Amino acid sequence: MEELHKEDYRDVRGRCSRMSRTEYMRELDALLQGISKEEREEAMQYYNDYFDDAGSENEEKVIEELGSPAKLADTIRAGVNGNTCLLYTSPSPRDCS
């Protein structure tokens, strides 16, 4: 079995690889297909903004903070299904001084 590092995640096919922002967001979008279009678009916009706020030089750090796309998708779905706002569980990089 392959050893996973903090910045490595298994994709939906079980492959282990380092993800770029584009790959991370593409996989997150695929994993959120079971929720409403509006909720999915809101979540995707929030996390795209999150990456933008952090800056391209911090993409790996953001991916590490957010965890795997599957874990984040589970959190988002739990919030949608429980009618609670769990989309914004991580502090925004702009909130850090």
Side-chain angles (χ1 to χ4, degrees):
M1 182 167 210
E2 299 171 67
E3 182 181 340
L4 288 174
H5 300 282
K6 288 183 181 180
E7 65 276 2
D8 295 340
Y9 298 102
R10 294 202 181 275
D11 64 16
V12 292
R13 293 178 191 86
R15 297 177 302 206
C16 178
S17 62
R18 292 182 189 262
M19 288 189 165
S20 68
R21 170 189 179 165
T22 302
E23 293 166 327
Y24 188 96
M25 295 303 292
R26 186 178 304 132
E27 186 165 341
L28 180 61
D29 187 56
L31 291 164
L32 292 177
Q33 292 300 309
I35 64 174
S36 74
K37 179 181 177 183
E38 294 79 19
E39 294 283 356
R40 186 173 65 254
E41 287 175 354
E42 181 180 340
M44 296 300 293
Q45 183 62 54
Y46 176 80
Y47 288 104
N48 269 310
D49 290 346
Y50 189 89
F51 274 101
D52 288 344
D53 289 345
S56 60
E57 68 277 6
N58 293 310
E59 284 183 11
E60 285 186 28
K61 183 177 179 183
V62 170
I63 290 170
E64 185 178 320
E65 289 173 1
L66 294 176
S68 72
K71 179 181 173 189
L72 182 56
D74 287 346
T75 300
I76 293 168
R77 281 192 303 269
V80 169
N81 294 333
N83 294 321
T84 57
C85 183
L86 292 178
L87 292 177
Y88 315 108
T89 57
S90 300
S92 174
R94 66 179 162 229
D95 295 337
C96 302
S97 358

